[in-house]
Amino acid sequence: MISRPKGTNDLLPEDIWRWHKLEELIRKECALFNFHEIRTPVFEETKLFQRGIGEGTDIVEKEMYTFLDKAERSLTLRPEGTASVVRAFIENNLQEMGLPVKLYYLGPMFRYEKPQSGRYRQFHQFGVECFGSPEPVLDAEVILLASEIYKKLGIKNVIIKLNSIGCQACRPQYIAKLKDELKKSKDSLCEDCVRRLDVNPLRVLDCKEEKCKAITKSLPPIYDYLCPECKEHFNKLKQILNLFELSYVEEPRLVRGLDYYTKTVFEFTVENLGAQNAIGAGGRYDKLVEEVGGKPTYAVGFAMGIERSLQVGGALWQKEPDVDLYIISIGDQTKEEALRQLRLARQKGLKTELDTLNRSVKAQFKQADKLKAKFCLILGPDELLQGQVKLKNMQSGEELQLPLGDWLGGIIL
Ligand code: AMP
């Protein structure tokens, strides 16, 4: 017996309807916000992610599925969507669509992480990326779109954590201060943070280890170091979020560790998800397009974890019945007519099924019940000779005798 690879999931028919509903919700909401779908390959050249996510990150350092193809090219299964969308934006000159360019994607991502509840090696993300505007109204638009989707999923107690990590003008001063302070307590930091101190000191701020948290608690918040432009951007963003009536919590320790992230960072969390409680995250990355080889282009985006969002959302959704109509044939001589009626019913848009296992009449009714068919069309040999059929409403039990050519009118869904 060969099992599925560790950290992956089979999405089975009994659950997939929830995925379809969420995807439908996402597509509708994106259309309302005028975002356009983009589909990029699931693998890219490895160096795209090395540049586009950053050498100092956990993803690039330890989590990538990287392999050589037959021509010895180094390729990597995408661990996230942003780098690929940025590459596609540059390669296809998408700025010609007219700025701002508002894109979204949906699909599988791959990270070699330690699997646990809510953390997989193949998981799915929905994400958006907006290119071309420095204005905080676009940051707000991305946060609002995400919030609307969580709201429509019925997820309660979503917390929006918000921070600004400044820009290349103001962040270096903060990082210098951070390094100075952290060096004093170097011996008490966890192993990862000792390393981060050199490669990625901002990341020490969001370390989950208690001993590191205790040290960073007393450090000054980055807000105190923001330049006037970054402060104004952050304050304007908060004003717009207030106008949209979105509540948020300012979280001075929320960071992204790389230079091309600028200003806004945010994360959506829920309380009842245990350790893996982030259901989405995003931010502004005004320097990334340049980093990947394009012209300087403002950008802001967000990604949402589908598995985790479905774990807490869509609880009130009802599955639609698989079948509107089940056709029951009594006796062999009705089977041909049953096939004709099957075809007709499907042409008229009814989800229709009939027995393909030569079941007894009783077993056919049982099957119709099992499929939760709303109606049964019953073809009996004598009635059929007189051009008649029976239509049974499976909920009310009501049965109507109707002409063979005119039973469709009896169906009210
Ligand atoms: P990130 O790209 O790491 O900011 O992740 C964005 C969202 O994707 C997170 O908030 C999670 O909801 C989801 N996510 C990230 N990694 C995983 C994973 N390994 N398994 C399941 N969901 C994940």
Side-chain angles (χ1 to χ4, degrees), residues 70-121:
K70 292 190 198 303
E72 308 255 310
R73 297 177 193 95
S74 179
L75 299 173
T76 295
L77 297 182
R78 62 179 182 195
E80 51 102 70
T82 305
S84 306
V85 174
V86 167
R87 190 232 0 101
F89 174 82
I90 300 167
E91 193 167 346
N92 299 289
N93 293 318
L94 293 188
Q95 74 281 357
E96 282 167 16
M97 288 168 72
L99 299 179
V101 175
K102 295 162 73 178
L103 304 171
Y104 77 92
Y105 59 85
L106 244 171
M109 307 293 160
F110 308 86
R111 292 184 198 172
Y112 195 85
E113 292 197 86
K114 197 158 180 250
Q116 52 179 272
S117 169
R119 195 200 271 172
Y120 311 105
R121 289 185 173 173

Side-chain angles (χ1 to χ4, degrees), residues 319-356:
K319 184 178 188 295
E320 306 242 326
D322 292 327
V323 164
D324 299 319
L325 179 73
Y326 194 88
I327 299 180
I328 292 188
S329 8
I330 306 175
D332 284 347
Q333 60 275 51
T334 64
K335 288 215 150 71
E336 232 177 65
E337 191 54 51
L339 288 175
R340 244 179 250 124
Q341 297 305 316
L342 171 74
R343 182 126 194 265
L344 178 80
R346 286 179 178 160
Q347 280 167 351
K348 294 289 175 190
L350 295 173
K351 294 185 278 181
T352 310
E353 187 58 287
L354 54 56
D355 170 48
T356 47

